[in-house]
Amino acid sequence: MTTLVYLIPVALFLGALGLSGFLWALRSGQYEDLDGAAQRILIEPIREITNAGD
């Protein structure tokens, strides 16, 4: 029973920490344009061809 005195505040603190991290990620725009990020991995970047002798 004594361990619950320690475990309950620790669990509440970790839950609040996770919730605050999630809310921070929402406010800073981490979850915007998820489709663009998923498609960007499939698109090959365009490379410019340069002459080595110039």
Side-chain angles (χ1 to χ4, degrees), residues 29-43:
Q30 295 291 320
Y31 294 109
E32 292 182 11
D33 192 26
L34 293 177
D35 293 330
Q39 292 174 0
R40 200 174 307 126
I41 206 168
L42 300 173
I43 299 171

Side-chain angles (χ1 to χ4, degrees), residues 3-17:
T3 57
L4 289 177
V5 173
Y6 297 112
L7 290 178
I8 290 175
V10 168
L12 290 174
F13 173 73
L14 289 176
L17 187 67

